[in-house]
Amino acid sequence: MARSAVIAIGASAGGVSALRSLAAALPETFAAPILVVLHVGAHRSELPELLSAVGPMPAKHAEDDEAFHPGNIYVAPPDRHMIVAEGRLRLLRTPKENWARPAIDPLFRSVAESYGPNAAGVILTGNLNDGTLGLLEIKRRGGITVVQNPRDAAHPEMPRSAAVHVSLDHCLPLVEIPELLVELTTNRKEADMPITSTQPGAVRHSAENNGWELERPVAVTCPDCGGALKRSVEGSIVKFGCHIGHSYTAEVMASAHFDELERVMRAAVRFLNERAEFCLQMAEHSQSTGFDDVADWHAASQQALDRAYKLRDLVEQDWITPETNGRLASASGGRDPAGLPR
């Protein structure tokens, strides 16, 4: 069996206590890096300090594009997915997965892609089922899959989901997991070092798009109710309709979607402007009360204002609108955009 070159651990509810117990039992000479995702959302996290305080391995919040080394614990920071790409850690503000950012699945998928049989994934206590699909990918690529015994977990749903859907290598009480991890990483050979995968379907890492590429949406949605639209063709006319009963010709649909796009973007400009004002008021409050975070509030206010102006400029740029050039109408009975015979 290949020795594990990296350990990826995911936890949610009850995870702070579980991770502290784990860190306290691991040796300073642990032969692999440990990558940790705890569901903290956008809230401030002191998990690295808590882990460093109880065990010999130093823990820190991961930084974007940093290398990672054995004997260290790297924790996903608030509001960022942490993944592995080309031997380095990447932090992404891509969409939430399973209602979470950071989420466990993105890390597990990337570790499976990069390390194959030399990866180990561990799921600890938590609600719902984040991590199950990622652990399944680790298993599919030959890695080691470990979960905390659900009967031993403060919140058993996450490990139970993994146990149901993944053919596990180990299902253990928390107290036995540190010894297993040491065993998995002991006497690791050079041949067990990271591999790089370029297989199709793997996690894509695009520097230009901050690690995320848009997929084609499952469906186009109704501008009135948000329901999925079904496309149909009557003669040469393209129509869209939802199950509620809203229906549109292609031209009307295009115009309605564009109006909704503009509304949403202008709402975002408003929210950014309001954030700038809120942060400015907090800066003034901090200054009057002697707090030392005045500069941070001012910087946040200026950032929001800068982005509001950029977004406003984007909204007001010229957009390509083929629905207004008459081509669709011309294909529908030789009528002009007003619906009158030519």
Side-chain angles (χ1 to χ4, degrees):
M1 181 180 67
R3 296 298 177 183
S4 299
V6 65
I7 307 294
I9 301 177
S12 186
V16 173
S17 176
L19 288 166
R20 280 168 58 86
S21 297
L22 199 65
L26 291 172
E28 184 178 8
T29 56
F30 193 74
I34 294 179
L35 311 180
V36 173
V37 169
L38 177 69
H39 288 165
V40 295
H43 303 291
R44 179 178 178 180
S45 170
E46 297 180 355
L47 184 60
E49 292 82 359
L50 294 173
L51 299 182
S52 295
V54 297
M57 293 178 64
K60 66 184 292 290
H61 275 131
E63 299 176 29
D64 188 40
D65 202 34
E66 75 169 315
F68 52 102
H69 306 283
N72 292 270
I73 300 173
Y74 300 88
V75 179
D79 204 32
R80 294 293 185 276
H81 294 310
M82 178 173 69
I83 65 169
V84 174
E86 299 178 350
R88 306 183 77 83
L89 296 176
R90 294 298 311 276
L91 304 180
L92 309 175
R93 200 173 184 277
T94 46
K96 293 180 179 180
E97 296 194 26
N98 300 310
W99 291 340
R101 189 176 57 224
I104 301 165
D105 277 340
L107 173 63
F108 280 19
R109 286 196 306 266
S110 70
V111 165
E113 176 195 348
S114 295
Y115 286 81
N118 305 125
V122 183
I123 292 182
L124 303 178
T125 172
N127 293 321
L128 301 179
N129 62 0
D130 188 27
T132 294
L133 288 175
L135 198 67
L136 185 63
E137 185 65 12
I138 290 176
K139 182 68 176 181
R140 189 179 73 82
R141 292 178 180 258
I144 303 300
T145 54
V146 184
V147 302
Q148 181 181 2
N149 191 313
R151 292 190 296 272
D152 178 64
H155 299 265
E157 289 184 25
M158 261 177 29
R160 181 182 293 131
S161 172
V164 168
H165 295 285
V166 182
S167 178
L168 299 174
D169 295 298
H170 304 277
C171 181
L172 301 171
L174 180 64
V175 69
E176 297 180 20
I177 293 179
E179 182 179 353
L180 171 65
L181 297 185
V182 171
E183 179 184 342
L184 292 176
T185 56
T186 301
N187 300 322
R188 181 161 50 85
K189 301 176 183 178
E190 288 298 319
D192 295 329
M193 292 303 287
I195 60 174
T196 299
S197 170
T198 56
Q199 296 182 19
V203 178
R204 294 186 295 271
H205 310 294
S206 166
E208 182 180 353
N209 295 310
N210 196 27
W212 179 56
E213 295 180 11
L214 283 168
E215 299 281 1
R216 291 187 66 171
V218 174
V220 178
T221 55
C222 175
D224 279 310
C225 68
L229 287 167
K230 182 178 180 180
R231 189 181 69 173
S232 61
V233 179
E234 296 183 14
S236 59
I237 300 175
V238 179
K239 291 182 63 178
F240 293 84
C242 72
H243 62 92
I244 298 299
H246 301 121
S247 64
Y248 315 85
T249 61
E251 298 92 333
V252 175
M253 174 68 187
S255 296
H257 250 229
F258 188 83
D259 287 347
E260 180 67 5
L261 169 68
E262 184 175 12
R263 185 193 68 78
V264 170
M265 293 178 73
R266 290 195 183 279
V269 172
R270 174 173 63 83
F271 278 114
L272 284 167
N273 198 33
E274 290 176 1
R275 174 172 172 78
E277 174 59 24
F278 167 76
C279 292
L280 184 60
Q281 291 182 15
M282 291 304 299
E284 294 169 349
H285 173 73
S286 293
Q287 189 168 18
S288 67
T289 53
F291 290 148
D292 58 2
D293 56 355
V294 177
D296 289 340
W297 283 115
H298 272 297
S301 176
Q302 188 60 51
Q303 180 192 62
L305 197 59
D306 290 343
R307 292 181 177 180
Y309 279 119
K310 290 177 181 177
L311 184 56
R312 186 201 63 179
D313 290 343
L314 179 63
V315 176
E316 295 180 357
Q317 287 177 5
D318 288 333
W319 290 75
I320 300 171
T321 54
E323 64 270 20
T324 64
N325 67 10
R327 181 186 64 80
L328 291 175
S330 296
S332 303
R335 296 176 178 270
D336 68 15
L340 299 175
R342 295 184 185 281

